[in-house]
Amino acid sequence: MRRLFIIAILLSTSIIAFAQQKSEAQKFFDKIKQHCGKSYEGEVTAGAGNDAFSTNRLVMHVRSCEENRIRIPFFVGNDRSRTWVLTLENDRILLKHDHRHEDGSEDKVTQYGGWTPNAGNDTIQIFPADDFTRELIPHAANNVWWMTINDDEFSYNLRRIGSDRVFSVIFDLSKEVSTPLAPWGWKD
């Protein structure tokens, strides 16, 4: 009887320890949260031509870190219209692109993105376009975004499956830069 009791205690302790382990999605989320309040400069490594992304300074600012939501404004020169919104729910992450006008009103093309199909990896999360994106931007139905993070770099990437469309920007996490002005529509 004593042996069964000891086995039951060991088993329940193992179950509790397993249940308390963080998922890969949570670990990824926490790695980004470590940079909350900080800003970093980036460089386009794929997909830019003679456009605003290749001719302007690119800065990301991990501006807001709530328990299950991170907001990362992405500045292209003086354009403060873009914010990446990551929401963690049930070991999956939702990526949304929040686009605003200078007056703070939503752009007609905003809130597109998608859910990770699984918990992913602590250094990379992949976001296929969701149904909302397909309806809002039909030609973006085959979009796949992914973000990576390690000790030195954070990257934001886009690939439109079945086309030549690709975009990648890498931010240097080893060199913090001054924090830009608030993104358009931001209310503290």
Side-chain angles (χ1 to χ4, degrees), residues 22-35 67 70 88 149:
K22 291 183 177 183
S23 71
E24 296 296 302
Q26 181 70 58
K27 291 176 190 176
F28 179 87
F29 210 73
D30 289 348
K31 284 182 180 184
I32 295 174
K33 277 186 169 182
Q34 291 176 5
H35 298 278
E67 182 179 348
I70 299 172
L88 177 66
I149 189 166

Side-chain angles (χ1 to χ4, degrees), residues 6-20:
I6 292 172
I7 291 171
I9 289 175
L10 291 174
L11 183 59
S12 66
T13 303
S14 296
I15 290 171
I16 290 170
F18 179 75
Q20 291 176 343

Side-chain angles (χ1 to χ4, degrees), residues 61-76:
H61 176 206
V62 186
R63 185 172 176 91
S64 170
C65 299
E66 301 166 29
E67 182 179 348
N68 294 318
R69 181 165 292 130
I70 299 172
R71 290 181 176 90
I72 306 170
F74 173 42
F75 303 95
V76 180

